[in-house]
Structure formats: structure tokens, C-alpha cells
Amino acid sequence: MAEEPAAEVRLLRGQKAKLIEILSADADFVLQHADSRCLLSHQGYQQVKACRVPSEKVTELLDHVLQRGPDAAHGLLELLKDQALQETFPMLCFVKDLQVNTLSSEETSRKRRAASDSQVDIPSKQICKNGSRLVKEKQLMTVARNFGRSWREIGRLALNVPSVKLEQLEEDHSLHVERVFAMLRYWRACQRENATAAHLHYLLSQDDWALPPESIDFLLEKD
């Protein structure tokens, strides 16, 4: 079940592309300041630091902070308004004018209940616009059992799951199959109406990360 992100997270996510473009001019400078404010975990810091391409380093940094929740996102907003960053990146001046639009607690609760009602269970016969059925949890678990050690690579390259999310899944789940299953559920939540069995089959059949056909062809079978 995907919960609605906090206002700070939504705000930063909406400015993500612009921030990557600006901060890539000195990614290491941003990383060190973020670390000094404890916006990253130790493992997250090492992961971001290992990125060699500035734009990728900033992307990983933003993803990691946003994944940690509203407190970290608020800390990042304050960092972006800091004088040191404002002087180093003059184009960050727009951040000072950003307004965090928070919802009332009643409206937030209502939206979360609505999201919960719509995502707790996906009917097996639910039909998407293109006529394909949405993938079911039973199918996701079957697919998860066929993933090997390259599950992280498949998650990043085939399913477009952020590295920081994969890191979190690895910390949250001790069993391999549970990690992969959680990753597939995350993909389904992000894809929404595009999370069809046929689409998942297509993604897992591509290039070097393709799973054996016999392990995923059942996704193309009709109920």
C-alpha cells in the first residue's frame, strides 16, 4: 500500500529535475553539507559518495533523503536555503520562495483512507485501459522466487527502482524472496494502471537481465 508522501517530500520531488541540474555543478560540496546535517545514513553516504558522475551523485543524494521521510526532506530544504549553498549556487534563490502546502489533518486522513481502499486489494479481474489485467500478488510472489543474486541490478535497470529504495528493502527484509517480493510490490504501486502482468513480463524479458522464459511466461496466460 503506497502512502501519500509528506508535503516536504512532494515539494522537493516536484523540483527534483531543476535541483539536479543546479547542484551537479559541485555535487561533492552538497554531499558534505548534507552529511554534516545528518541527512544521510552512513551506508547512504558511502553509496552516494561512490557515484562518479555528478548528476548521478546528486540524484542518489536526493533519492536517499526523500526516501528517509519528511524530517530529512525538511532538513534538505533548510540546507538549500543556507547561505553557503545560496552563495555557491546562485540559481538556488528560487528555493527561498517555495511554500510547503500542508493539508489539514482531516483531509490528509481522508486521502489516505481513499488510497488504502483503492490499493489494499487489486481484484483479479480488474481490467486496464489497454485490456490487460493488473498483476496479482500471487503472481508477484511466483516471479520473486525466480530472481537470483542480480535482483538489485534488475530492480534498477529493468524496473527503475531507486537504489536507496533497494537499500531500504535489504535492511527491512532478511529473506531474499521477501526482498524481491517487496521490490515487485513497490514497482506495482508506482506503475498503478500500467502494472499489468504483460508489462512486467516484457520488462523482465529484456537485455542481459532477462529471466528464463519458463519462469515468467505464466504472466501471459489468461485467467
Side-chain angles (χ1 to χ4, degrees):
M1 180 178 67
E3 188 175 278
E4 180 185 355
E8 294 89 346
V9 176
R10 294 198 306 271
L11 180 63
L12 285 171
R13 188 171 290 162
Q15 302 295 328
K16 187 176 176 182
K18 189 173 183 179
L19 290 173
I20 292 173
E21 181 180 359
I22 295 173
L23 300 178
S24 293
D26 196 341
D28 289 322
F29 180 83
V30 182
L31 174 60
Q32 296 309 318
H33 276 268
D35 185 52
S36 70
R37 296 196 178 202
C38 300
L39 299 181
L40 303 94
S41 65
H42 175 71
Q43 186 175 359
Y45 171 78
Q46 295 297 331
Q47 182 176 321
V48 175
K49 184 180 179 181
C51 294
R52 298 186 179 277
V53 180
S55 60
E56 292 181 0
K57 182 172 291 188
V58 175
T59 301
E60 284 290 322
L61 170 62
L62 294 176
D63 284 343
H64 183 85
V65 172
L66 293 178
Q67 195 64 49
R68 298 193 77 190
D71 290 341
H74 177 75
L76 179 58
L77 274 174
E78 292 303 309
L79 172 61
L80 296 176
K81 297 176 183 178
D82 185 80
Q83 182 178 355
L85 266 76
Q86 288 286 321
E87 291 178 351
T88 304
F89 307 100
M91 292 181 66
L92 276 182
C93 59
F94 78 95
V95 175
K96 294 182 178 180
D97 298 324
L98 292 178
Q99 298 293 326
V100 178
N101 296 319
T102 57
L103 299 172
S104 66
S105 58
E106 181 178 352
E107 185 176 358
T108 299
S109 298
R110 178 180 59 78
K111 287 196 171 187
R112 287 180 176 173
R113 284 196 301 271
S116 175
D117 292 342
S118 65
Q119 295 184 25
V120 165
D121 182 37
I122 298 179
S124 61
K125 300 297 182 181
Q126 185 171 352
I127 306 299
C128 293
K129 295 178 181 178
N130 63 1
S132 298
R133 289 183 174 86
L134 296 178
V135 67
K136 296 177 286 188
E137 291 209 353
K138 183 178 180 180
Q139 293 173 310
L140 294 181
M141 177 55 76
T142 302
V143 172
R145 294 193 180 102
N146 290 286
F147 273 71
R149 295 181 178 179
S150 59
W151 69 279
R152 299 177 198 82
E153 181 181 6
I154 295 175
R156 282 192 295 267
L157 301 178
L159 305 180
N160 200 29
V161 178
S163 296
V164 66
K165 181 62 179 180
L166 296 173
E167 174 190 329
Q168 180 187 10
L169 294 176
E170 194 163 10
E171 292 177 353
D172 292 346
H173 303 281
S174 58
L175 297 179
H176 170 74
V177 68
E178 291 180 352
R179 292 170 178 171
V180 179
F181 179 59
M183 177 183 72
L184 293 172
R185 291 192 69 197
Y186 174 82
W187 170 83
R188 185 181 67 171
C190 292
Q191 292 293 310
R192 296 180 178 273
E193 69 272 9
N194 293 321
T196 65
H199 184 43
L200 181 60
H201 180 277
Y202 171 78
L203 294 176
L204 298 179
S205 302
Q206 302 301 305
D207 300 325
D208 296 335
W209 57 76
L211 295 181
E214 61 271 15
S215 68
I216 57 174
D217 280 351
F218 73 92
L219 292 171
L220 301 179
E221 297 175 359
K222 296 182 179 180
D223 292 344

